[in-house]
Amino acid sequence: MSARILVVDDVPANVKLLEARLSAEYFDVMTASNGTEALALARRAECDIVLLDVMMPDMDGFEVCRRLKTDPATHHIPVVMVTALDSPSDRNRGLEAGADDFLTKPVSDVVLIARVRSLTRLKMMTDELRMRAITSLEIGMQAPERSAVADTGKGGRILLVDDRESSYQRLATILAAEHTVDVEPNPTEALFHAAEGNYDLLIVSLDLNNFDGLRLCSQARSLERTRHVPILAIADPENSTRLLRGLEIGVNDYLLRPIDKTELLARARTQIRRRRYTDHLRDNVQNSIEMAITDALTGLHNRRYMESHLATLAEQASTRGKPLALMILDIDYFKSINDTYGHDAGDDVLREFAVRVRKSIRGIDLACRYGGEEFVIVMPETDLHVAGMVAERLRRSIAGEPFAVHKGTKRIEVTISIGLTTLEQKGEAVADVLKRADTALYRAKHDGRNRVVSQAA
């Protein structure tokens, strides 16, 4: 796993030591001797993780971390503070500044590399989501960076898995000051609870009685509904080596007992902020996919989606020996609606038309805006007779009630013409089916409009 690590320290000997350790594990290492240089490198997206010293002359590590985490361009870069400072107040100050971890020198090679690898996996996953979501900006969707920077990390839903009453009561009390907390003392029920609860964070004790806490963490990572929920592991100091194993299998962060109240809250906020940010990225990706295949005005699928999906439906129909009906619908005299009442009225008609189409077809049918005032409906496992009845019902639905336009101040009569055909010849080209339906539509319009014309294969 290759990643670019930025080591920030004003002491050359410290830089060389960290550079040697990381290079031996095949990481690419960059260096900066002060905070200003580090911020510039991070803003140019030249690093994946920042290993940051605290005591530096021009700008201390706390301020560098704060600036990284409050800048929308760099807030997603993991920051690990590596320093000789070892007091709880220093640690908490670093975590409050947004650091993903705070390691005290001298740092064990095993601990350092395990943490870097864990954060590298996280960064690569986030980068993939960010890359996929870039196009969402081009189609007008809101980027999540600024909201992520402003997010306090409070108000999350946390599931605490711990079977020691004295432990979970104290932890739950601390966490309840900022979050909603559910406690699950039965580890065998925890995974089901986690899958059903829509949690922002799982906190798992690795010192459960008669149950392997790491196995629970691994199961949470393998289950679709909990795969992306961050996990904060808690262990006694003698079990610290198991925490390193936990980082390898997907644990996001950890704490050793006795637990400091401020540190627990800070680490929980960090994980919840990250969860919300990645969820927002995933939503952007999903929404951009939907927008790419959906007609913005009517909410129906667009022509691009129809052409792709129709080919699949036709292949399935041929393979299974089932009929497939297809109709092309055209709103009669639509140009005159735009010319007489304005394009806003035309848009009102198109939107209401889509609503009536949805009410007239089945859930398995595919309705698309083919272009302008033309629409296509594909009906799997439907013969010409049944499709004809559906088309006639839809025609009556359109003609039977005037369309409200201009916010309901006017109502206008609208009719449609429909060309209908079916795919019944095995292996027939989709283009031929569309052409036949279009020919039937032409006949409908030529014969006086407001009618359904069928053309058999």
Side-chain angles (χ1 to χ4, degrees):
M1 181 186 304
S2 179
R4 294 164 296 179
I5 314 299
L6 174 59
V7 176
V8 188
D9 199 315
D10 64 325
V11 179
N14 292 341
V15 172
K16 289 186 179 296
L17 179 60
L18 282 174
E19 188 174 9
R21 289 177 175 178
L22 295 165
S23 296
E25 297 295 328
Y26 305 102
F27 291 106
D28 294 329
V29 181
M30 309 168 58
T31 63
S33 59
N34 58 70
T36 302
E37 185 182 358
L39 291 171
L41 288 170
R43 280 196 62 84
R44 292 200 297 267
E46 294 185 11
C47 62
D48 294 307
I49 298 175
V50 178
L51 299 186
L52 180 62
D53 186 32
V54 172
M55 306 303 293
M56 294 186 294
D58 70 325
M59 184 189 310
D60 68 26
F62 297 124
E63 178 61 17
V64 174
C65 184
R66 188 192 66 78
R67 293 192 186 188
L68 287 170
K69 293 299 184 179
T70 55
D71 186 339
T74 58
H75 80 97
H76 62 284
I77 301 175
V79 176
V80 178
M81 289 191 165
V82 184
T83 175
L85 300 177
D86 61 355
S87 71
S89 61
D90 290 323
R91 175 185 295 272
N92 292 332
R93 186 180 173 192
L95 294 171
E96 292 288 349
D100 295 83
D101 208 348
F102 192 102
L103 303 179
T104 302
K105 299 175 183 177
V107 181
S108 158
D109 285 359
V110 175
V111 172
L112 175 67
I113 299 304
R115 201 69 180 104
V116 168
R117 282 178 174 158
S118 172
L119 290 171
T120 295
R121 285 192 295 269
L122 177 66
K123 174 65 162 49
M124 288 182 173
M125 178 195 72
T126 303
D127 282 351
E128 178 69 17
L129 285 172
R130 292 178 73 244
M131 184 170 59
R132 292 181 183 180
I134 285 174
T135 53
S136 67
L137 302 180
E138 299 172 358
I139 57 178
M141 296 179 62
Q142 182 180 2
E145 276 73 15
R146 295 197 178 276
S147 60
V149 167
D151 189 356
T152 64
K154 298 180 181 180
R157 284 179 48 80
I158 298 176
L159 177 63
L160 172 60
V161 184
D162 193 342
D163 57 6
R164 285 194 277 181
E165 185 175 0
S166 60
S167 172
Y168 68 65
Q169 283 186 346
R170 178 174 181 267
L171 295 177
T173 300
I174 293 171
L175 293 165
E178 296 183 355
H179 310 282
T180 300
V181 185
D182 292 337
V183 176
E184 180 51 78
N186 184 352
T188 60
E189 297 293 327
L191 195 62
F192 300 102
H193 198 162
E196 297 297 327
N198 191 29
Y199 291 102
D200 298 303
L201 176 64
L202 304 181
I203 299 180
V204 180
S205 171
L206 300 189
D207 305 300
L208 300 168
N209 292 318
N210 303 315
F211 198 91
D212 186 349
L214 282 183
R215 183 170 297 280
L216 176 60
C217 295
S218 177
Q219 290 171 338
R221 280 290 164 264
S222 65
L223 189 66
E224 178 65 29
R225 299 183 69 176
T226 55
R227 182 168 298 157
H228 302 298
V229 181
I231 300 173
L232 174 63
I234 295 177
D236 291 329
E238 58 269 22
N239 284 338
S240 59
T241 54
R242 298 191 70 229
L243 286 171
L244 301 181
R245 175 62 176 154
L247 292 175
E248 294 178 4
I249 65 174
V251 169
N252 299 79
D253 201 359
Y254 64 86
L255 279 168
L256 294 176
R257 293 186 173 94
I259 291 172
D260 178 81
K261 170 184 176 180
T262 305
E263 183 176 355
L264 171 62
L265 290 172
R267 290 187 184 273
R269 287 194 296 268
T270 295
Q271 296 305 319
I272 290 171
R273 277 196 301 267
R274 181 177 290 124
R275 166 66 190 270
R276 289 169 176 167
Y277 174 61
T278 55
D279 279 355
H280 198 154
L281 285 175
R282 288 189 185 91
D283 289 344
N284 271 15
V285 171
Q286 182 60 36
N287 289 339
S288 65
I289 292 172
E290 291 178 2
M291 291 179 73
I293 64 174
T294 303
D295 175 63
L297 180 64
T298 64
L300 300 177
H301 289 299
N302 59 21
R303 180 169 182 164
R304 178 192 303 174
Y305 180 83
M306 186 276 295
E307 290 175 343
S308 174
H309 196 55
L310 176 56
T312 301
L313 292 175
E315 182 180 352
Q316 290 177 348
S318 294
T319 301
R320 299 171 184 173
K322 300 288 187 179
L324 178 75
L326 182 146
M327 63 180 82
I328 299 182
L329 306 81
D330 185 271
I331 300 177
D332 297 328
Y333 304 110
F334 186 73
K335 184 177 183 301
S336 68
I337 295 176
N338 282 332
D339 292 344
T340 304
Y341 301 99
H343 288 277
D344 287 346
D347 289 348
D348 289 339
V349 169
L350 290 171
R351 280 190 287 263
E352 174 61 21
F353 177 79
V355 170
R356 298 191 193 185
V357 166
R358 289 194 190 94
K359 291 180 179 179
S360 299
I361 63 176
R362 303 167 299 178
I364 64 170
D365 299 331
L366 173 66
C368 306
R369 186 180 181 189
Y370 197 51
E373 66 272 23
E374 280 195 343
F375 296 79
V376 171
I377 297 176
V378 185
M379 306 181 69
E381 300 188 16
T382 306
D383 60 25
L384 195 63
H385 175 69
V386 173
M389 290 191 295
V390 173
E392 183 59 32
R393 182 175 69 229
L394 178 56
R395 186 198 64 78
R396 290 196 301 268
S397 169
I398 301 302
E401 183 179 353
F403 281 56
V405 298
H406 294 159
K407 298 182 179 180
T409 59
K410 293 183 179 179
R411 300 175 71 82
I412 60 178
E413 301 290 337
V414 176
T415 63
I416 59 172
S417 300
I418 301 176
L420 175 64
T421 190
T422 56
L423 169 74
E424 292 180 341
Q425 300 175 20
K426 188 172 184 179
E428 183 180 15
V430 167
D432 292 341
V433 182
L434 283 167
K435 184 176 181 179
R436 194 162 56 248
D438 193 55
T439 300
L441 173 63
Y442 177 81
R443 282 181 49 202
K445 298 176 79 68
H446 183 269
D447 292 346
R449 293 182 168 84
N450 190 23
R451 66 192 63 230
V452 178
V453 171
S454 300
Q455 183 164 323

